[in-house]
């Protein structure tokens, strides 16, 4: 009798043990699936409005646990469907290993600044207010919990037109931006002949896009207006003191990404100018005691492939970390 009375208890213990094993295996299995999904960033798109401009999209690649979020600004010929970064590069892959990537869409010939007025004789009938738009985007990113890292601030980077824009926006919005990075940027637009060069670039970009010429006077006023100085990274260098600053430009020598002869011919002098302007910024930083890091590839022109490499090098070097 005693032996027979013990069997149900043993069976009950065995059943409980098997149930525990099954539950544990299920939990481990679920955990491994989640870990696998967490290793790759997810893509999303949201839209922002206001600032007196039409609604524009923002693309983002994010992953839980990343240590920084970078906002990547486009170049002069930005399009309305997606950023040049998405058209031409794969920098969003850095979101798989630490850095969320945000790509505002639009901003053709805008210099990502608040303009004085709408450009006359142009099909864009509203006044560009891209400083306002970028602040709105940051508010949306905050709401999504993307101000990650110990500082709770963002990195901002850009190429060409977007290079100086990233530096200037960061300089005036230090409470939200900790890292700024210009690639092949025109960092001294108030320098002799640069106002004229910007004027011609805005005309050309508008004509090429089929919307008509943009006016530099509508952007920052006539050449003697103080807004040209206010939007000059060299002139505003002291505002950046204490930030993580990185600048880069290539030599103008053709390399592996120069597969388009016409584009390369057009891009070579632009890169040479941006290199000179970036060197000017570096010298000014050294004179004023502002710490920066630099990237001067021996080979490269005004091409997306070289800018992608600069981003990857910045990440490899640990620059994006707080």
């Amino acid at each position: 009798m005693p032996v027979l009375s013990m069997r149900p208890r043993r069976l009950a213990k065995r059943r409980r043990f098997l149930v525990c094993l099954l539950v544990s295996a299920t939990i481990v299995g679920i955990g491994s699936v989640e870990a696998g999904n967490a290793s790759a960033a997810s893509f999303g798109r949201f839209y922002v409005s206001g600032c007196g401009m039409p609604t524009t999209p923002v693309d983002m690649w994010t992953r839980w646990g990343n240590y920084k979020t970078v906002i990547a600004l486009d170049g002069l010929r930005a399009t309305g469907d997606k950023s040049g970064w998405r058209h031409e590069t794969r920098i969003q892959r850095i979101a798989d290993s630490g850095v969320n990537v945000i790509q505002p869409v639009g901003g053709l010939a805008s210099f990502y600044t608040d303009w004085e007025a709408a450009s006359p004789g142009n099909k864009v009938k509203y006044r560009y207010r891209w400083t306002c738009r970028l602040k709105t985007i940051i508010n949306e990113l905050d709401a999504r919990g993307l101000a990650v890292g110990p500082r709770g601030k963002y990195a901002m980077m850009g190429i060409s037109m977007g290079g100086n824009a990233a530096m200037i926006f960061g300089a005036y919005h230090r409470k939200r931006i900790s890292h700024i990075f210009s690639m092949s940027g025109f960092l001294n637009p108030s320098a002799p002949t640069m106002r004229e060069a910007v004027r011609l670039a805005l005309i050309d970009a508008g004509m090429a896009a089929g919307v008509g010429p943009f006016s530099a006077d509508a952007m920052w006023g006539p050449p003697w207006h103080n807004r040209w100085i206010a939007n000059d990274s060299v002139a505003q260098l002291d505002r950046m003191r204490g930030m993580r600053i990185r600048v880069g430009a290539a030599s103008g020598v053709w390399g592996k990404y120069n597969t388009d002869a016409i584009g390369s011919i057009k891009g070579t002098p632009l890169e040479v100018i941006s290199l000179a302007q970036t060197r000017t910024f570096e010298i000014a930083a050294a004179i004023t005691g502002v710490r920066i890091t630099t990237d001067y590839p021996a080979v490269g022109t005004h091409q997306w492939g070289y800018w992608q490499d600069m981003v990857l090098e910045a990440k490899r070097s640990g620059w994006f970390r707080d």
Side-chain angles (χ1 to χ4, degrees):
M1 288 295 294
V3 174
L4 291 174
S5 65
M6 289 295 291
R7 284 177 182 173
R9 294 179 187 176
R10 289 176 180 174
L11 289 172
K13 287 181 179 179
R14 287 176 182 174
R15 281 196 294 268
R16 285 197 296 269
F17 178 71
L18 288 171
V19 168
C20 288
L21 279 177
L22 287 170
V23 170
S24 299
T26 302
I27 291 171
V28 170
I30 291 172
S32 66
V33 170
E34 288 180 346
N37 288 342
S39 65
S42 60
F43 169 74
R45 169 174 277 201
F46 64 90
Y47 294 81
V48 287
S49 57
C51 303
M53 299 200 304
T55 298
T56 55
V58 180
D59 290 337
M60 60 180 184
W61 291 262
T62 60
R63 188 189 69 150
W64 186 88
N66 280 353
Y67 56 80
K68 199 67 177 178
T69 298
V70 62
I71 302 167
L73 302 184
D74 210 336
L76 190 72
R77 302 178 191 279
T79 58
D81 58 340
K82 54 187 176 182
S83 169
W85 286 109
R86 189 176 174 193
H87 272 297
E88 305 289 346
T89 78
R90 295 294 178 268
I91 65 161
Q92 61 266 28
R93 291 177 181 171
I94 67 174
D96 293 338
S97 57
V99 182
N100 300 318
V101 176
I102 311 299
Q103 295 177 5
V105 178
L108 169 69
S110 68
F111 276 76
Y112 292 103
T113 189
D114 283 354
W115 285 41
E116 292 288 302
S119 198
N122 185 287
K123 293 180 182 178
V124 179
K125 297 302 181 184
Y126 55 89
R127 172 192 169 204
Y128 272 155
R129 293 193 64 206
W130 272 95
T131 300
C132 177
R133 178 55 52 88
L134 290 175
K135 289 192 285 186
T136 303
I137 290 171
I138 287 172
N139 289 338
E140 291 291 333
L141 298 177
D142 285 344
R144 288 165 169 78
L146 291 172
V148 296
R151 299 190 193 186
K153 299 180 182 182
Y154 299 93
M156 184 173 283
M157 65 184 185
I159 59 98
S160 194
M161 170 190 86
N164 186 66
M167 305 290 278
I168 288 297
F169 186 90
Y172 286 100
H173 299 88
R174 296 173 58 108
K175 290 183 178 180
R176 305 306 299 119
I177 306 294
S178 59
H179 296 47
I180 46 179
F181 183 11
S182 165
M183 289 162 274
S184 305
F186 302 103
L187 303 179
N188 193 197
S190 68
T193 75
M194 279 305 296
R195 291 176 175 90
E196 293 74 17
V198 170
R199 184 177 301 276
L200 292 173
L202 291 180
I203 292 171
D204 180 64
M207 296 300 290
V211 299
F214 286 95
S215 167
D217 290 347
M219 182 171 70
W220 290 329
W224 53 87
H225 199 290
N226 61 9
R227 287 202 67 200
W228 286 87
I229 301 295
N231 286 280
D232 186 304
S233 291
V234 174
Q236 301 305 322
L237 183 56
D238 201 55
R239 291 180 181 272
M240 306 173 196
R241 188 180 300 275
M243 301 181 75
R244 295 211 60 176
I245 305 167
R246 188 174 180 89
V247 295
S251 63
V253 175
W254 290 22
K256 62 182 178 179
Y257 298 117
N258 294 100
T259 56
D260 173 14
I262 294 175
S264 297
I265 290 169
K266 290 180 178 179
T268 299
L270 292 175
E271 194 66 16
V272 171
I273 294 169
S274 69
L275 175 61
Q277 294 246 306
T278 302
R279 290 288 192 186
T280 298
F281 182 89
E282 181 188 16
I283 293 168
I287 292 171
T288 56
V290 175
R291 294 183 62 184
I292 69 171
T293 60
T294 61
D295 184 5
Y296 294 116
V299 172
T301 60
H302 226 62
Q303 305 280 122
W304 284 102
Y306 300 112
W307 297 323
Q308 174 176 269
D309 286 351
M310 286 185 182
V311 173
L312 298 179
E313 176 58 29
K315 185 173 183 297
R316 278 193 293 269
S317 73
W319 180 81
F320 287 106
R321 292 189 177 274
D322 282 335

